[in-house]
Amino acid sequence: MNGRDLVRSWDGVGAGRAARGMRAVRAAWHRRRSDAAGLPPRGAERARVPGEVREAEPQPGGGVIRFARSQLRITVAVGGAVFLGWDGAGPEPSYALAGGAPEVDPRALLEPDKDGGWRVVAERVTVVVSRHGAVEIRTPGGLVLRRELPPRWWEPLGGGAARWTQRAEVAADARFFGLGGRTSGPRLRDGSYRLWNGEVPVAMPVQLVVADAGAHLVFHDTPWDGTVVLREGEEGAGSGHDRSGCCEIRMAGGPLRCWVVVGTPARVLGVWASLTGAPALPPAWALGHQHARDFAGEQEVRALVAGYQERDLPLDAVHLDAGRHDGGRPFGVGPDHFPKLPVLAEELRRDGVRLVSAVDAAVPVVPGDVVYEGGSAVDAFVRDASGRTVRGEGRAGESVFPDFTHAWTRAWWGGLYEERLELGFAGFWHGAHEPSARQAFGEPPLPRSARHALDGAGGDHREAHNLAALCMARAAYEGLCELAPEERPFVLSRSGWAGTQRYGGIWSEDVGTGWPALRASLSLVLGLGLCGVPYAGTDVGGPDGDVSSELYLRWFQLGAYLPLFRTRTGARARREPWEFGAEVLGHAREALLERRRLVPYFVTLAHLARWTGTPAVRPVWWGAPEDRALRDCEDAFLLGDSLLVAPVLDPGTGRRAVRLPRGRWYDTVTERAYEGPGQVLVEAPRGRIPVLARAGAVIPVRGADGTLTLEVWAPAPGRAGGGPVVPDTGEIERYATRWDGTRVVVSHEADGGPAEPSRPVRLRGLGGAAPGQ
């Protein structure tokens, strides 16, 4: 940092923040000096490509192909996932995989192919390798889904991590999805996408590519900083040639290894969940409405809950933002503001409201503090290349940062949650756990040269950065499972990496403000679902700042149909529903009551996500990826198999076009029927957003008396329907619907055959008729 940077930083501090500003400036100078000394200089490099095939060695599930200057390991796992590892890279060690590398499929064989190449033939996929190292992923019928060109490495002559690039081609009609929680999706257009948490809300090197020939998922298993450059293809007009789509991966280091899964979207996500772990099942209360705020004290919490109760607004959890309740520390309570937290928590629990605590990864440097002294005693904090503990600027001032890539640090940190459980907290949301996220003057608190354990492998922050949130969530989840085994842990993180769904969900505030941010919220949740994280959401209204009553209401209505439904009062603006006037309050009450009515459906979807990997929020093309019109639809989504939600994403909208998948769909308010596939125009008054139910669907809802009720939508004439219902106990129930003459029959599909449902049934859709009928 030069003198001009120093003056600019000081000018942005202000008199009241002078000390903190100077600490940040000093920390930035130390970071740059540490990186200059601790990172190897990148001088001259040597470029390398695999060269020609020399020999091949068949092995169970695949084999190893040796080239002149590299080698490629191919393994097909049981279930059909294909592993590709260059330069001797194997599936392990990996922070993404759950339980290690999967069992190989012994039926997959490595055999010679034409022109000196090799191929591996499996039940669901064929992998063809050319004699120069190009890799084609084909369907069993021989259609090429992806063609990876031979990779290239750039190795520093003086030693150090080699950067690499791999370019791939896909079909001209293919569309790209995924890469974590992207706000510019869910369909990813031409452009460059960085894989660095903090620069984007959540970055994951996971792509889902959908084309006419089929879908496939690609996961490049390295957490290093990288970039994905995408370019969609173009089909030739008339007799013109198609231009293939292109994907180029550029990584600053790490192994060149990837997993590929081929099949329908449901099958692909199911295999992905088997590789990286089943999503954690949130507590039932976490599927209701939650509100976050930085409270001044206990009475302010009571006043907020009373405000919800007096206005007949359902509330299931209150999140205490980091600050007064913990004295600005990850653990410990500010006694001046919250002297009787256990009493407060018990009072709220009797009213059906849980307390959730914010937990920051930054540990303030406070001599005598239990967390700071305890972490120092077990050597839990990140050190620089010279062995000194790294200090940076956190929310509460000068801070140190736990190295969550070390097993004993995770065990120590997980035990600290006991104090919060004893205070009555039922859940936790993590922040400040991307230790290189921009926090002060655009500078990261940790240098890239900082050293991390990486569970014995050792490395610097360039490799560990993207893993920080994942490993912190793991520490919390495993600690809570041990401390409170009778409760399902509730862990919410601001960012994550592949496999983070094993430990909890994702909340992201980094979506911006205004109407574009509303659309970005939907994109983020859809993208995370396609990367295997089904429990996700953003703060209604955005992180802070002014928001119009119309925008707040439309955001609120969208949030009511997302798995994580959370509102939040920021530092500069009040965001409780009654702050926007009587009209917004009335419409918000309707949305909240509908969310509470649908909680049994969200519980069912959460259980199904854990069993199958299928996200609750799905693109409208989920069941028909070959439908190009649906692939291009980005302003609506399926909530499970039964509901289609079409949020209002633009101001002044009173009606909107909705793209329907095949089948009959009912407006859930008017019960008017529409026939798909096609596009229809539906009403979207200020009081609600369009929600349509699939004909024949069986939706578990909360009845007027609080019991689980089956809401059944009449099947289309000549067709049947049905669906699963999973109470919170986890025992699956299956129901079927069909026409019998002039009446609709609903049956419980049990082991002994169809039976009468034991639950109340509400039949809907009999009065609706499609246009022209």
Side-chain angles (χ1 to χ4, degrees):
M1 177 175 284
N2 57 31
R4 182 175 300 174
D5 292 333
L6 178 65
V7 172
R8 186 181 299 112
S9 299
W10 179 260
D11 289 341
V13 170
R17 299 167 57 201
R20 181 178 178 182
M22 285 305 299
R23 286 197 305 268
V25 171
R26 185 167 57 249
W29 181 77
H30 282 299
R31 282 192 298 273
R32 298 190 181 191
R33 187 176 68 171
S34 178
D35 283 345
L39 291 178
R42 183 168 291 278
E45 296 177 321
R46 177 181 59 200
R48 176 167 60 89
V49 294
E52 288 198 20
V53 169
R54 293 293 175 85
E55 60 179 352
E57 178 185 348
Q59 296 176 351
V64 176
I65 304 174
R66 295 183 176 88
F67 298 83
R69 290 175 291 278
S70 186
Q71 66 180 31
L72 171 64
R73 179 183 300 277
I74 306 176
T75 304
V76 181
V78 172
V82 178
F83 173 78
L84 304 170
W86 286 94
D87 275 5
E92 298 181 277
S94 171
Y95 282 90
L97 300 184
E103 181 183 356
V104 301
D105 183 354
R107 299 170 298 173
L109 302 174
L110 177 65
E111 56 190 33
D113 196 42
K114 61 183 180 180
D115 299 328
W118 291 81
R119 66 179 179 177
V120 175
V121 179
E123 180 182 4
R124 299 181 181 274
V125 64
T126 298
V127 183
V128 178
V129 183
S130 77
R131 63 190 179 96
H132 291 288
V135 179
E136 289 186 352
I137 305 297
R138 300 180 180 179
T139 67
L143 294 176
V144 178
L145 296 177
R146 187 182 191 91
R147 185 172 189 269
E148 301 272 3
L149 302 182
R152 295 178 64 88
W153 293 267
W154 285 267
E155 300 171 333
L157 295 181
R163 59 189 179 95
W164 54 264
T165 295
Q166 188 167 53
R167 184 183 177 92
E169 296 175 348
V170 297
D173 65 282
R175 297 291 180 261
F176 298 98
F177 301 88
L179 293 183
R182 300 285 166 169
T183 58
S184 58
R187 173 183 158 193
L188 302 176
R189 262 69 173 191
D190 296 1
S192 178
Y193 299 87
R194 192 177 180 192
L195 299 171
W196 190 256
N197 284 334
E199 290 287 335
V200 294
V202 186
M204 296 184 193
V206 182
Q207 306 173 44
L208 183 63
V209 185
V210 183
D212 290 353
H216 68 277
L217 179 145
V218 178
F219 165 53
H220 286 83
D221 192 358
T222 174
W224 280 69
D225 190 7
T227 302
V228 179
V229 180
L230 300 178
R231 187 192 70 191
E232 291 184 346
E234 184 177 344
E235 294 181 292
S239 60
H241 294 288
D242 291 350
R243 187 192 67 175
S244 299
C246 178
C247 169
E248 185 172 275
I249 312 291
R250 305 169 184 167
M251 284 291 182
L256 202 176
R257 59 183 181 180
C258 71
W259 289 89
V260 183
V261 185
V262 174
T264 65
R267 182 185 176 278
V268 163
L269 267 294
V271 174
W272 175 245
S274 70
L275 282 175
T276 61
L281 186 65
W285 58 262
L287 297 169
H289 174 229
Q290 307 175 52
H291 185 77
R293 185 167 149 189
D294 188 2
F295 294 93
E298 294 175 3
Q299 293 308 314
E300 195 170 287
V301 177
R302 291 187 175 93
L304 174 85
V305 174
Y308 272 87
Q309 293 172 338
E310 292 168 1
R311 296 170 176 85
D312 191 26
L313 301 174
L315 180 65
D316 297 276
V318 172
H319 294 224
L320 304 190
D321 207 341
R324 296 183 178 89
H325 82 283
D326 56 13
R329 304 170 191 176
F331 299 95
V333 179
D336 296 338
H337 301 284
F338 290 85
K340 298 180 179 180
L341 254 178
V343 175
L344 173 65
E346 181 59 30
E347 289 178 6
L348 297 183
R349 189 179 287 264
R350 287 198 296 266
D351 290 333
V353 179
R354 267 71 171 183
L355 273 185
V356 176
S357 172
V359 176
D360 276 1
V363 177
V365 179
V366 179
D369 177 72
V370 173
V371 179
Y372 175 67
E373 297 292 349
S376 300
V378 298
D379 194 22
F381 302 126
V382 176
R383 295 180 177 272
D384 62 18
S386 63
R388 295 175 298 182
T389 301
V390 177
R391 297 189 177 189
E393 187 68 16
R395 189 199 306 261
E398 188 177 32
S399 303
V400 291
F401 300 87
D403 180 9
F404 292 110
T405 69
H406 204 302
W408 75 49
T409 299
R410 293 195 296 269
W412 162 73
W413 187 266
L416 296 176
Y417 288 82
E418 182 176 14
E419 175 263 351
R420 288 294 164 95
L421 293 175
E422 292 175 348
L423 292 172
F425 287 105
F428 306 91
W429 58 297
H430 291 167
H433 47 28
E434 318 95 334
S436 276
R438 298 176 181 273
Q439 293 185 3
F441 312 113
E443 290 288 336
L446 286 185
R448 293 184 173 229
S449 59
R451 305 300 298 174
H452 293 263
L454 291 169
D455 288 291
D460 59 41
H461 194 66
R462 296 173 299 172
E463 183 176 3
H465 167 76
N466 282 335
L467 301 171
L470 168 72
C471 293
M472 182 181 179
R474 176 182 176 182
Y477 183 86
E478 292 177 348
L480 292 170
C481 286
E482 184 175 341
L483 294 168
E486 71 285 354
E487 300 285 342
R488 296 203 295 263
F490 176 74
V491 179
L492 200 60
S493 300
R494 191 174 70 185
S495 67
W497 202 65
T500 196
Q501 75 278 355
R502 300 191 297 263
Y503 312 117
I506 293 290
W507 146 84
S508 179
E509 65 177 348
D510 302 319
V511 295
T513 57
W515 288 92
L518 171 59
R519 190 178 294 269
S521 295
L522 175 57
S523 298
L524 184 141
V525 175
L526 280 167
L528 285 172
L530 296 177
C531 292
V533 184
Y535 187 72
T538 63
D539 289 332
V540 169
D544 210 343
D546 295 331
V547 57
S548 68
S549 60
E550 182 186 11
L551 173 58
Y552 178 83
L553 178 59
R554 293 308 194 186
W555 207 321
F556 198 96
Q557 292 166 339
L558 168 62
Y561 291 96
L562 299 180
L564 171 62
F565 178 24
R566 194 178 91 156
T567 51
R568 185 180 183 186
T569 287
R572 300 192 301 271
R574 299 293 294 270
R575 293 283 175 80
E576 286 77 28
W578 53 85
E579 298 292 339
F580 293 88
E583 181 188 11
V584 171
L585 174 62
H587 296 325
R589 182 184 298 111
E590 294 175 7
L592 283 171
L593 293 174
E594 180 64 8
R595 173 58 177 243
R596 172 151 291 186
R597 194 180 76 92
L598 287 175
V599 163
Y601 185 49
F602 279 94
V603 170
T604 292
L605 296 178
H607 280 278
L608 294 177
R610 179 164 181 79
W611 295 335
T612 68
T614 301
V617 173
R618 313 165 188 173
V620 293
W621 49 258
W622 181 260
E626 71 283 355
D627 188 328
R628 297 189 180 189
L630 292 178
R631 286 210 300 263
D632 292 338
C633 177
E634 301 179 278
D635 60 357
F637 62 93
L638 295 174
L639 184 59
D641 284 331
S642 301
L643 295 178
L644 189 155
V645 182
V648 173
L649 304 176
D650 298 298
T653 301
R655 62 174 57 185
R656 56 151 296 174
V658 179
R659 176 69 61 178
L660 297 179
R662 184 177 301 278
R664 173 172 289 190
W665 297 84
Y666 298 98
D667 187 307
T668 55
V669 174
T670 66
E671 300 194 11
R672 181 180 178 182
Y674 299 92
E675 296 293 336
Q679 183 169 282
V680 297
L681 192 64
V682 297
E683 297 297 322
R686 189 174 173 88
R688 65 180 179 91
I689 58 176
V691 179
L692 296 96
R694 189 189 301 270
V698 177
I699 303 174
V701 298
R702 179 176 176 173
D705 59 353
T707 61
L708 194 153
T709 300
L710 306 179
E711 184 172 88
V712 177
W713 290 89
R719 295 183 176 272
V725 172
V726 187
D728 200 39
T729 57
E731 300 173 359
I732 189 169
E733 305 171 8
R734 298 188 182 278
Y735 295 90
T737 62
R738 60 182 176 84
W739 281 99
D740 183 8
T742 59
R743 68 190 187 101
V744 175
V745 177
V746 182
S747 58
H748 181 197
E749 302 296 301
D751 292 338
E756 290 287 334
S758 59
R759 301 187 182 278
V761 175
R762 182 190 180 197
L763 185 59
R764 302 189 65 186
L766 292 177
Q773 292 186 336

